[in-house]
Amino acid sequence: MTDQPHGAVEAVDTVLAALADPTRRRLLELIAAQGEATATTLARHLPVSRQAVVKHLAVLDAAGLVSSGRAGREVRYTVRPAALDTTARWMASLAADWDRRLAHIKHVAEAAERESRTGRDDASRPPEQPHGGV
């Protein structure tokens, strides 16, 4: 993450911290499935109180994962995909770095194996006889 600006690093950290909680991940899934939802409707699907749902939604909102808007007396939440996209790009970049490292290790190991086989092949051959002798 050192290649990213400091703000982007903080955003990814905040998203990962928010998603570390299974209840928040479930809330995000529920909102995504419904398009928008209130804390009351979300609480019906979870084994926690409405107040706990509101606290979890505040964490998701602070991470930029959901946004809220008033519709009369209700507060409705919707998913904001931008923060997830940024985090997914960071994770893909990290995975690509590991893929490159593993490909390099594979290349080195295969080269060492070829060298080892070549060395064994030479050792198993009988010594060459000088020409014109015996």
Side-chain angles (χ1 to χ4, degrees):
M1 284 183 12
T2 55
D3 296 348
Q4 295 184 5
H6 186 66
V9 172
E10 285 180 356
V12 168
D13 288 347
T14 304
V15 167
L16 292 175
L19 294 176
D21 185 277
T23 300
R24 288 194 284 269
R25 290 193 305 270
R26 180 71 179 130
L27 284 169
L28 204 55
E29 290 172 357
L30 289 168
I31 297 167
Q34 297 176 21
E36 68 177 13
T38 65
T40 303
T41 59
L42 293 167
R44 290 184 195 134
H45 299 279
L46 297 166
V48 295
S49 68
R50 182 191 171 285
Q51 291 78 11
V53 167
V54 169
K55 288 180 182 180
H56 284 297
L57 288 167
V59 173
L60 292 172
D61 190 15
L65 294 168
V66 299
S67 62
S68 61
R70 283 209 166 269
R73 291 179 33 191
E74 294 181 329
V75 177
R76 296 182 177 269
Y77 294 87
T78 57
V79 173
R80 293 177 57 200
L84 279 175
D85 291 343
T86 300
T87 304
R89 280 193 304 276
W90 173 77
M91 292 175 87
S93 172
L94 186 64
D97 286 346
W98 277 105
D99 287 345
R100 279 191 293 279
R101 290 175 185 175
L102 291 173
H104 178 71
I105 291 169
K106 179 182 177 187
H107 175 74
V108 168
E110 288 172 345
E113 186 176 331
R114 280 191 301 275
E115 266 184 45
S116 172
R117 271 196 229 131
T118 304
R120 272 189 269 134
D121 291 346
D122 291 344
S124 65
R125 287 188 196 139
E128 291 186 19
Q129 299 294 325
H131 293 296
V134 189

